[in-house]
Amino acid sequence: MTQQQDSDMAVPCEDGVVEQYLKHVTEVGDRRAITATEDICSTSGVKLLAAGYQVNSSLLDKLLRHKLLKPIDHSCVVENAIDSAYLVSRARELLNEQKEFAALIEQETTGDFLHACFGHMQLPTAIRNKLTVLAEQAPRLIDHSLWCTMGSIFLGQKLDMNMVEERHLASAALLHDIGQLHIDHRILDPKERLDEALRRQVQTHPVIGGSIIDALDVYDKAVSRAVLEHHERADGSGYPGGLRGDQMSLAGRILSFIEFSLGIRQSAGARHLAIVIRTYAHQFDPVITRVFWEHFNVAEPLEKYPFDTRDIPALYARLSDILEGWEAVQEHASAQAWTLAERDFRAIRRAFSSVGLAPDLIEDLEASEPDSEAHLEACSVLREGLRQAREATDILSRAAQDDPDMRKDTVVLEWLENTTQALNAR
């Protein structure tokens, strides 16, 4: 997939994108005042709400029956909407909860770090509205965005970004997940188990977010580009464009690394993160990972490791079946798009080799006491391999819907369907 193909990526239809966000906005309007700043009209000229009236759930059905002349954020204002002062205040609260990172910032940065992150942020009303809706509907995501901003600016300073580049990076980091407000609302629920369809929607949010930012005509193109790239990987295994490191901006490479690292750190702990970054290092800019190792402490007691290492044999068998299944059908893969599978599964094989994962080692680990360093390393590599295999098959499944050449490769397509179902079943 190339940069050009980014814009061709299948995203939820425009009506669906608008509908999901309208649901969020009107729900928030039931809890805090959202006032129309001008008449809200349809493209056909129908006045749906007069200026000065409140936007809330009682208006939703009417809004959904019409195509809006302007995005709703351009025609209203949320009471006490998020501003730079809120961002600095909340970021300071988060740092107070993470004393280690706060100490790192104090030791390794100069000047007012939080001002560097948020003090120069461009926040037009439409973005303030959207950030407020995000904070109301998904508090964990706004906090995640604040952490991404702080982590990205820390790395940006260590990599000698200039002030303008830092400001673009800060904006991209803060706004990178706003596209999630425009896809299925279940995605914002951390307890929701994502099925194949929902994961495919998740993979559209960088495109949606980048488009929203571009449409505002406020931010430099570097901001939307970094948002678009924040799930790309240096080896080309990311999405939506399958870009390699040399095709990504520096801001995109930094944000990709920080977003990935924070997601794993928050869900599975520092030790798991350290193993994954070490064994899948080829997916990230080596200069960025070097700075990470120099400055971030990933030591963590064994008892904090979140996974049961007794699952290693089952995880190994499951992932080996997937890799062997691909090797059995890849000679029938004539369509160009199948190169994604070859690239991603080769990367997983490389991670296997880096830690010596093979049947003999699995037998030794099964026979020994669990929770040694070797157990943790094997378990983390296998779990990350399964996650990446699931992501790859989701991308391939989506591509196969629109690629007639892929659909001609019936043997490979059958493997893909069976593998996707198996990965989603557990």
Side-chain angles (χ1 to χ4, degrees):
M1 222 180 284
T2 66
Q3 179 80 46
Q4 178 61 39
Q5 288 173 298
D6 292 347
S7 59
D8 300 329
M9 181 182 187
V11 298
C13 69
E14 181 181 354
D15 289 344
V17 167
V18 172
E19 176 183 340
Q20 293 299 329
Y21 186 61
L22 288 175
K23 289 179 179 177
H24 287 303
V25 171
T26 53
E27 282 182 16
V28 173
D30 291 338
R31 302 194 295 271
R32 66 161 77 194
I34 300 180
T35 307
T37 53
E38 62 184 41
D39 292 345
I40 297 177
C41 300
S42 72
T43 53
S44 59
V46 177
K47 183 191 291 187
L48 305 175
L49 187 70
Y53 283 82
Q54 300 299 298
V55 176
N56 53 44
S57 60
S58 66
L59 186 65
L60 179 61
D61 287 344
K62 182 188 288 188
L63 293 175
L64 293 180
R65 289 197 299 270
H66 299 269
K67 185 173 183 179
L68 299 186
L69 181 62
K70 295 182 180 180
I72 190 74
D73 283 321
H74 294 236
S75 302
C76 66
V77 61
V78 182
E79 181 183 38
N80 296 324
I82 281 176
D83 57 12
S84 292
Y86 170 89
L87 297 174
V88 170
S89 175
R90 180 57 186 157
R92 185 170 287 114
E93 290 175 357
L94 293 174
L95 288 175
N96 287 337
E97 296 168 5
Q98 296 290 335
K99 300 294 186 183
E100 187 176 348
F101 189 60
L104 178 66
I105 288 173
E106 185 175 349
Q107 295 166 7
E108 298 287 344
T109 64
T110 58
D112 188 338
F113 179 75
L114 293 184
H115 184 73
C117 291
F118 307 108
H120 302 284
M121 195 78 68
Q122 293 176 287
L123 296 173
T125 299
I127 286 298
R128 293 181 64 197
N129 288 342
K130 204 170 290 291
L131 289 173
T132 308
V133 172
L134 184 64
E136 287 277 340
Q137 298 295 83
R140 67 180 182 86
L141 267 187
I142 196 71
D143 285 351
H144 170 74
S145 297
L146 292 171
W147 278 120
C148 278
T149 306
M150 291 187 282
S152 294
I153 294 304
F154 182 89
L155 286 182
Q157 291 182 351
K158 294 301 177 184
L159 294 170
D160 296 323
M161 274 188 156
N162 64 45
M163 187 175 295
V164 173
E165 291 171 328
E166 279 187 24
R167 291 177 183 179
H168 295 335
L169 174 59
S171 295
L174 180 66
L175 303 178
H176 75 277
D177 271 340
I178 59 173
Q180 292 203 38
L181 287 169
H182 292 259
I183 51 183
D184 195 306
H185 68 279
R186 291 176 294 167
I187 287 163
L188 298 182
D189 183 355
K191 299 178 182 178
E192 183 72 31
R193 184 180 182 276
L194 300 186
D195 59 18
E196 180 184 353
L198 286 179
R199 280 198 300 275
R200 289 183 191 175
Q201 282 204 45
V202 168
Q203 290 168 2
T204 67
H205 81 269
V207 178
I208 297 171
S211 297
I212 291 169
I213 291 167
D214 272 341
L216 288 170
D217 201 25
V218 169
Y219 299 98
D220 190 272
K221 290 292 184 183
V223 177
S224 58
R225 180 180 178 184
V227 168
L228 189 63
E229 293 172 343
H230 80 269
H231 279 290
E232 301 289 359
R233 298 290 180 257
D235 65 344
S237 63
Y239 64 85
L243 304 182
R244 302 187 72 86
D246 58 359
Q247 297 172 301
M248 298 167 64
S249 64
L250 176 57
R253 297 197 302 275
I254 290 173
L255 183 52
S256 168
F257 178 81
I258 286 293
E259 205 276 342
F260 175 87
S261 300
L262 280 173
I264 290 187
R265 175 67 178 83
Q266 291 163 354
S267 65
R271 189 177 289 270
H272 177 67
L273 171 62
I275 295 169
V276 169
I277 291 178
R278 186 173 67 250
T279 53
Y280 290 89
H282 53 279
Q283 296 187 339
F284 302 102
D285 184 321
V287 176
I288 292 172
T289 55
R290 189 198 70 222
V291 173
F292 171 82
W293 290 119
E294 288 175 353
H295 294 283
F296 290 91
N297 179 17
V298 290
E300 193 172 59
L302 285 174
E303 57 268 21
K304 286 193 173 183
Y305 188 75
F307 304 121
D308 189 343
T309 59
R310 291 172 295 184
D311 293 338
I312 288 173
L315 294 171
Y316 180 76
R318 187 178 172 196
L319 192 50
S320 294
D321 284 347
I322 293 170
L323 297 174
E324 290 168 6
W326 165 250
E327 290 172 359
V329 303
Q330 68 180 106
E331 64 179 298
H332 303 287
S334 60
Q336 180 65 25
W338 295 115
T339 57
L340 170 69
E342 173 57 26
R343 182 187 62 214
D344 285 7
F345 294 147
R346 185 169 60 246
I348 295 171
R349 287 285 192 196
R350 185 190 304 178
F352 271 31
S353 297
S354 71
V355 296
L357 275 180
D360 289 348
L361 176 61
I362 300 301
E363 290 178 8
D364 290 343
L365 293 175
E366 191 173 14
S368 59
E369 288 295 319
D371 298 335
S372 69
E373 288 289 348
H375 284 87
L376 271 57
E377 186 173 64
C379 189
S380 287
V381 169
L382 289 167
R383 285 188 171 276
E384 177 61 15
L386 282 167
R387 188 197 66 77
Q388 294 197 18
R390 185 181 292 110
E391 192 170 271
T393 55
D394 284 345
I395 293 172
L396 288 166
S397 296
R398 185 178 63 242
Q401 294 177 350
D402 302 313
D403 189 332
D405 290 334
M406 291 180 74
R407 292 198 295 273
K408 292 176 184 177
D409 297 334
T410 55
V411 173
V412 191
L413 201 61
E414 182 180 2
W415 164 84
L416 177 62
E417 291 171 353
N418 292 338
T419 300
T420 301
Q421 289 174 7
L423 284 167
N424 289 330
R426 309 181 192 188

